[in-house]
Amino acid sequence: MTMKDASVAALVEAARGAMAHAHAPYSGFAVGAAVRLTDGEIVAGTNFENASYGLSLCAETVALATVNSRGRLADVEAIAVVGGADGVTPCGRCRQVMVEAEQIAGRPIAVYCASASGDAVTEHRVSALLPYAFGPMDLGVTRKKRS
Ligand code: THU
């Protein structure tokens, strides 16, 4: 296993660990996400459903919002998303959230997708997941302002 493979495997395992905390009583579909920062720190998230179904939060959005709450959005470099027997890919809203994170980070964010327990991991670029995206640059914002 190469160093890159090892770091991807660790990220996927962190996302799988987060699945245990999914609040998904309505769909029964647990999703875990894990964000790797430039210093190697991993921040996890899981889906948080709501009795008013449409208010549910996805795992990727929860993980990236947690990164933001720690003031680390500029340091995001990769995110793993795991769920289901056949795997999961980010929903449309999460792709837009990833565009925001990527443009603020100022680097491409690698997106790794896997199932709840299988070996296969697919790698994606945010620009491929959401081509022609509208983002912060369209509003003249290039970096998160630090206070
Ligand atoms: N879900 C995520 O957490 N991430 C995605 O990208 C796809 C969908 C969650 C939302 C909901 O709690 C459940 O999976 C079923 O849609």
Side-chain angles (χ1 to χ4, degrees):
M1 190 180 263
T2 65
M3 283 294 283
K4 187 184 174 196
D5 289 341
S7 67
V8 172
L11 198 62
V12 168
E13 283 314 306
R16 285 180 173 148
M19 284 178 66
H21 306 300
H23 177 68
Y26 311 109
S27 72
F29 193 82
V31 180
V35 178
R36 188 178 65 234
L37 305 177
T38 47
D39 63 358
E41 187 180 346
I42 291 176
V43 177
T46 190
N47 49 338
F48 181 23
E49 294 185 350
N50 193 285
S52 179
Y53 295 175
L55 300 183
S56 297
L57 300 173
C58 288
E60 307 92 304
T61 291
V62 168
L64 287 167
T66 302
V67 169
N68 181 50
S69 72
R70 294 183 188 173
R72 300 294 305 277
L73 211 48
D75 303 327
V76 173
E77 65 175 18
I79 182 166
V81 189
V82 305
D86 299 323
V88 63
T89 52
C91 78
R93 183 175 185 271
C94 287
R95 293 176 194 211
Q96 183 70 38
V97 171
M98 288 175 187
V99 165
E100 186 81 14
E102 182 170 87
Q103 292 192 11
I104 295 304
R107 69 175 65 79
I109 297 172
V111 182
Y112 300 103
C113 300
S115 67
S117 60
D119 289 334
V121 179
T122 57
E123 178 174 354
H124 308 273
R125 287 194 165 258
V126 175
S127 58
L129 292 173
L130 189 60
Y132 308 106
F134 180 79
M137 269 115 171
D138 293 298
L139 297 174
V141 175
T142 52
R143 284 274 171 176
K144 186 177 180 185
K145 288 197 179 77
R146 293 182 186 277
S147 50

